[in-house]
Amino acid sequence: MKYALVTGGSRGIGRAICIKLSEMGFPVIINYASNKAAALETKQHIEEKNGTAELLPFNVSNVEEVDKILNEWSENHPNDYIAVLINNAGIRLDTMMVFMQNEHWNDVINTNLNGFFNVTRRLLKDMVTKRFGRIINVVSLSGIKGMPGQTNYSAAKAAVIGATKALAQEIGSRKVTVNAIAPGFISTDMTKDLDEKMLKTMIPVGRFGKPEEVADLAGFLASENASYITGEVISINGGLYT
Ligand code: NAP
């Protein structure tokens, strides 16, 4: 069986992607850091529509934990592999660089960038040997144009964009595609403290995006129909300048 793993699948964009991939027929592995109640809600949404989902909590920034949990998963699923990986887990800790503490920098890099590396490296071998895989990295407009107050987050997301392009070239011949999705402002917990009324005046379509809109794009990139798209960064931002 081909499974789909969504890191940070408990809430927001990750939850919507879990539901979308389940609707496409994938058994879904819902990763999260600590919010089990939210992860169980995602699982329930999937099961109500007769999909299959399991919870797999781990901290993407902890390489030992990632390896241990994913090794255990493989041992328990000898005939299965994770064919679709959505690197979605992310945090933001915004502050101007002049005030930025080491932990602001390190926590954002460790989660958004090293998390991508830790999980992707572990799952690559199976995708390459099975000759099918989809790696979809959720980055950000911030990683394309840079955002003041987000040097840490912009750096992490820009780094993942570079890695997306490089990895796509390494493994394209094995029928494994690697793409990035760069959302603008999407209504989730991550953006609930922002001034939506003011910010939406800057967005040509005049509103924040919905997690389901990002999930539809992720679903397409995960599908067989997207086999000829790799190394791309696709913006989904209502027309905000990129
Ligand atoms: P969110 O609602 O805050 O959800 C974040 C998710 O990431 C949660 O499931 C959380 O798990 C998980 N997570 C955080 N740290 C983790 C860790 N160390 N290990 C494993 N899981 C971890 O965020 P969102 O808005 O859906 O964002 C999802 C992705 O989209 C992020 O990469 C973000 O940078 C990106 N993005 C978002 C926007 C936006 O406007 N919302 C725009 C551009 C890019 P718990 O529930 O356990 O905490």
Side-chain angles (χ1 to χ4, degrees):
M1 284 273 270
K2 288 182 179 135
Y3 277 70
L5 167 63
V6 182
T7 67
S10 50
R11 294 184 281 126
I13 293 170
R15 169 182 289 176
I17 295 175
C18 286
I19 293 169
K20 178 72 195 177
L21 294 174
S22 171
E23 287 167 358
M24 290 168 64
F26 289 101
V28 175
I29 306 166
I30 305 165
N31 161 259
Y32 61 101
S34 59
N35 195 336
K36 186 172 183 188
L40 283 169
E41 255 183 63
T42 305
K43 185 169 185 274
Q44 196 184 332
H45 279 292
I46 288 173
E47 288 172 348
E48 275 166 6
K49 292 183 182 168
N50 298 319
T52 308
E54 59 188 83
L55 305 190
L56 201 66
F58 56 81
N59 178 353
V60 295
S61 67
N62 181 331
V63 68
E64 289 83 20
E65 194 178 320
V66 169
D67 284 343
K68 177 176 170 290
I69 302 277
L70 289 175
N71 286 342
E72 280 168 12
W73 187 90
S74 296
E75 280 160 24
N76 294 332
H77 293 78
N79 301 316
D80 307 317
Y81 83 106
I82 295 170
V84 176
L85 166 62
I86 315 287
N87 286 304
N88 165 78
I91 56 167
R92 48 174 269 256
L93 294 171
D94 299 353
T95 181
M96 304 301 251
M97 193 186 246
V98 69
F99 302 120
M100 194 171 280
Q101 305 298 308
N102 293 344
E103 55 270 28
H104 289 126
W105 180 267
N106 292 332
D107 288 357
V108 168
I109 297 291
N110 285 338
T111 304
N112 296 283
L113 174 58
N114 296 340
F116 150 80
F117 172 71
N118 295 338
V119 180
T120 306
R121 180 186 57 179
R122 172 60 188 74
L123 299 180
L124 265 181
K125 206 190 278 174
D126 271 350
M127 293 186 194
V128 164
T129 52
K130 304 275 199 286
R131 294 288 196 271
F132 178 87
R134 294 280 185 267
I135 299 168
I136 298 164
N137 302 319
V138 182
V139 293
S140 172
L141 172 64
S142 191
I144 298 174
K145 77 178 280 279
M147 296 279 250
Q150 292 196 321
T151 51
N152 49 359
Y153 185 80
S154 299
K157 296 298 194 184
V160 174
I161 288 172
T164 299
K165 294 177 182 178
L167 184 59
Q169 294 173 63
E170 286 182 16
I171 58 181
S173 64
R174 309 300 158 100
K175 299 187 170 43
V176 181
T177 65
V178 191
N179 290 291
I181 293 177
F185 292 108
I186 308 296
S187 299
T188 68
D189 291 345
M190 189 177 272
T191 50
K192 70 179 178 207
D193 61 333
L194 301 182
D195 184 351
E196 182 168 345
K197 205 168 157 209
M198 186 274 286
L199 288 168
K200 71 185 186 189
T201 61
M202 295 163 27
I203 304 171
V205 306
R207 63 174 176 85
F208 277 19
K210 298 183 204 136
E212 293 74 20
E213 292 173 312
V214 182
D216 278 344
L217 175 56
F220 175 65
L221 290 174
S223 73
E224 287 281 357
N225 291 348
S227 301
Y228 206 53
I229 302 173
T230 195
E232 284 300 316
V233 183
I234 302 179
S235 288
I236 175 161
N237 60 24
L240 260 182
Y241 170 74
T242 51

